[in-house]
Amino acid sequence: MKRSEINAVVAEAKSAFERHGWTLPPNPKWDVTDFGLGDFSKFGLLLVNLAEQPEYCEKLMYVRHRQVTPRHFHRAKKEDIICRWGRLAIELPSEKSQRLQINGEWREVSPNETIILKAGERITLTRDVLHAFWADSEYAIVGEVSTANDDVNDNFFENQLVGRFSEIEEDEPETVILIGET
Ligand SMILES: [Fe+2]
């Protein structure tokens, strides 16, 4: 990713968080990725790690309209993905139906169903559940609350070409330092 692209989405996310009353902690831990695919508007995500402890993790994310986080699962992490503002589409590719919790209620999810979460709604993704997501609204503010997070070793993408972090091309000075750059 170009540094200018990272700076631009950080500024865009900051103002969206501000507009909707999400005050970031001092020295926010920024994480911006194009999943190594080189087309951030199609495949990309901005995250802020709010809490990262050995037992649990909390993140805040900013997702643009139709900007996809590609299909992946976690072997260790169990996570709630929470729509905090806008509408978030969660695709659940699977040959069989699956029993999952949506807003804490168990539900039978059909094979390959895409669920739309409205603001305030959440889905609980247990280990090995394949998922992808994107904003179905102009943008979405999204929360993640999970068990221990290990972004280096616990993201398994369906497409082997996808990676969790980006190469950065320095075309202007950085406005924030990303996780992994420190
Ligand atoms: Fe995930």
Side-chain angles (χ1 to χ4, degrees):
M1 280 186 80
K2 289 192 170 152
R3 180 68 70 179
S4 53
E5 218 171 8
I6 294 171
N7 289 344
V9 71
V10 166
E12 192 181 308
K14 268 185 186 168
S15 71
F17 292 152
E18 236 173 73
R19 253 192 326 275
H20 300 292
W22 286 93
T23 307
L24 298 181
N27 306 316
K29 306 234 174 351
W30 296 97
D31 180 3
V32 179
T33 184
D34 66 356
F35 300 99
L37 295 173
D39 190 350
F40 182 71
S41 57
K42 274 201 181 132
F43 301 101
L45 184 61
L46 175 144
L47 311 94
V48 183
N49 284 18
L50 299 176
E52 194 147 16
Q53 294 293 332
E55 301 85 3
Y56 62 88
C57 176
E58 182 188 8
K59 297 181 186 183
L60 187 65
M61 303 182 270
Y62 175 77
V63 188
R64 287 178 177 166
H65 181 61
R66 297 202 159 277
Q67 183 183 43
V68 175
T69 287
R71 292 175 178 186
H72 68 284
F73 64 89
H74 312 284
R75 289 216 167 108
K77 180 167 79 171
K78 176 178 175 182
E79 60 186 353
D80 270 19
I81 301 287
I82 308 140
C83 182
R84 300 293 196 188
W85 189 90
R87 278 189 318 277
L88 186 73
I90 311 239
E91 183 196 27
L92 299 158
S94 167
E95 285 172 15
K96 298 183 201 151
S97 61
Q98 319 182 73
R99 257 175 88 69
L100 293 174
Q101 281 178 295
I102 297 169
N103 304 319
E105 309 271 339
W106 288 101
R107 236 205 70 179
E108 196 83 6
V109 174
S110 311
N112 299 319
E113 189 171 339
T114 296
I115 306 255
I116 304 285
L117 295 181
K118 297 192 293 267
E121 296 191 314
R122 68 180 62 217
I123 185 164
T124 303
L125 298 170
T126 43
R127 292 164 186 167
D128 303 325
V129 173
L130 193 60
H131 54 285
F133 57 84
W134 59 89
D136 183 52
S137 42
E138 183 192 349
Y139 57 88
I141 294 175
V142 178
E144 177 186 313
V145 172
S146 73
T147 57
N149 176 66
D150 179 357
D151 279 320
V152 175
N153 301 304
D154 192 30
N155 286 292
F156 298 89
F157 291 96
E158 185 187 62
N159 174 349
Q160 303 286 305
L161 298 175
V162 176
R164 176 60 180 78
F165 294 101
S166 309
E167 296 268 300
I168 301 174
E169 187 189 323
E170 301 295 345
D171 62 338
E172 67 178 44
E174 81 256 347
T175 57
V176 296
I177 308 277
L178 302 183
I179 284 173
E181 290 193 285
T182 46

